[in-house]
Amino acid sequence: MTGSQEVKLDWNKVPTQTITAGGVEFAYRELGTSNPGTPVVFLVHLAAVLDNWDPRVIDGFAAKRRVIAFDNRGVGASSGSPATSIEQMARDAITFIKAMGFKQVDLFGFSMGGMVAQEIALMEPQLVRKMIIAGTGPAGGEGISKVARVTYLDMLRGFLTHQDPKQFLFFTRTPGGIRAGKSFLARIQERSQNRDKEITVTALQAQLKALRRWGSKQPEDLSKIRQPVLVANGESDRMVPTRNTHDLARRLPNSDLIIYPDAGHGGVFQYHADFVPKALEFLAR
């Protein structure tokens, strides 16, 4: 083994760092810092902290790109009060991105993070080169205002069956979906040391309020988003119904669409071996 291989970090070992901006101490991790090209900022899903990212996806991106993931304000190890609107989360993300010294970034937003990505592109278009948004929908999209109800129901299902709610929320109930869910849940437990703080009930409730507001909003004019966007989902998303993914692809003027079979909300994690090369190819165009 060469020395360079020994010091090569992966997502499960990379240290958590902090940067203070806008009165918030943001916790973040980054990989692939020596890679050329536009950095990729990961925007996280509902109830998630840094340890909820699939290591295969992050490590896959970081093989070619500089990758940065951070905790939203008031979530995980980041300080402050949690945001109660998607727009505020977008403003916080912009604050973080600028504090990191980036003039332009690519965004990978999953679920709630995909909503935040849309807002960033509308608020500060010059900051965004390309976007990948998965398991998400537009403001006012069908079923988005009901995400809280679906989430609470599946949290109860998880409690009653002694399973992680993500097994129900992110994956189908077919044999393939159940297997994929178990594999994903094992992967996000691989980091054994210096794990992030779990989300608090207060922060989760703030995020659910933001999602209800987003789901009840008037639709936005997405034709203003001129950047190339890769839109992805599973064909059977219960959290953010897949119809929203098709709607996004139609309304974004420069979009590519990937829909994975026998997959739900977490389709990009279930099919990480297919998704990561396609995402990297999209970013490299």
Side-chain angles (χ1 to χ4, degrees):
M1 186 182 276
T2 67
S4 62
Q5 285 174 314
E6 284 169 19
V7 298
K8 183 174 180 288
L9 287 170
D10 60 36
W11 182 244
N12 295 323
K13 300 201 174 60
V14 68
T16 306
Q17 303 179 71
T18 59
I19 190 167
T20 302
V24 176
E25 187 176 68
F26 289 99
Y28 72 97
R29 294 177 192 154
E30 64 177 333
L31 278 172
T33 50
S34 60
N35 288 333
T38 310
V40 186
V41 175
F42 279 47
L43 301 166
V44 82
H45 65 82
L46 171 73
V49 297
L50 292 168
D51 293 323
N52 290 106
W53 282 114
D54 189 332
R56 301 303 175 275
V57 171
I58 292 230
D59 286 342
F61 272 73
K64 303 272 182 173
R65 308 300 292 261
R66 182 178 181 180
V67 169
I68 303 97
F70 70 100
D71 279 332
N72 290 326
R73 175 161 56 99
V75 176
S78 289
S79 71
S81 302
T84 55
S85 74
I86 299 294
E87 294 84 352
Q88 184 57 60
M89 291 178 208
R91 285 191 286 272
D92 288 342
I94 290 165
T95 299
F96 170 79
I97 288 164
K98 289 183 174 177
M100 291 291 290
F102 302 138
K103 297 286 184 281
Q104 195 173 53
V105 294
D106 292 332
L107 298 175
F108 172 43
F110 174 64
S111 189
M112 184 179 76
M115 301 169 194
V116 174
Q118 292 171 60
E119 285 295 339
I120 294 170
L122 289 166
M123 287 176 183
E124 298 235 11
Q126 77 291 344
L127 198 58
V128 181
R129 189 186 72 105
K130 291 188 177 185
M131 292 199 297
I132 300 168
I133 52 178
T136 196
E142 188 175 338
I144 294 174
S145 61
K146 299 192 182 92
V147 167
R149 184 168 163 270
V150 176
T151 301
Y152 282 131
L153 279 173
D154 281 357
M155 285 171 78
L156 180 62
R157 282 171 86 184
F159 175 75
L160 293 174
T161 59
H162 307 290
Q163 294 184 74
D164 190 305
K166 285 188 280 293
Q167 182 75 62
F168 303 106
L169 287 165
F170 281 21
F171 299 93
T172 57
R173 302 307 294 154
T174 65
I178 290 166
R179 265 196 316 275
K182 287 178 177 170
S183 298
F184 168 76
L185 291 167
R187 292 197 299 273
I188 62 173
Q189 291 301 320
E190 286 171 353
R191 185 182 180 101
S192 56
Q193 294 182 316
N194 303 312
R195 285 182 68 85
D196 202 355
K197 294 177 186 168
E198 293 290 325
I199 192 167
T200 63
V201 173
T202 307
L204 173 61
Q205 288 172 336
Q207 290 185 349
L208 289 169
K209 183 176 182 180
L211 284 167
R212 277 194 297 271
R213 286 176 162 181
W214 173 264
S216 305
K217 254 180 86 163
Q218 285 299 306
E220 291 174 306
D221 179 6
L222 298 180
S223 70
K224 292 177 185 167
I225 297 178
R226 310 304 301 179
Q227 292 92 335
V229 186
L230 178 62
V231 185
N233 205 352
E235 67 180 2
S236 305
D237 189 342
R238 288 184 65 244
M239 282 196 84
V240 183
T242 307
R243 290 182 295 277
N244 289 288
T245 310
H246 290 282
D247 185 30
L248 271 177
R250 277 192 301 270
R251 290 171 55 194
L252 290 161
N254 194 2
S255 70
D256 292 355
L257 176 65
I258 302 173
I259 300 290
Y260 286 112
D262 185 25
H265 194 60
V268 295
F269 304 135
Q270 181 170 339
Y271 285 91
H272 61 85
D274 181 83
F275 168 68
V276 170
K278 282 183 174 158
L280 288 171
E281 188 272 325
F282 166 78
L283 293 176
R285 273 185 222 157

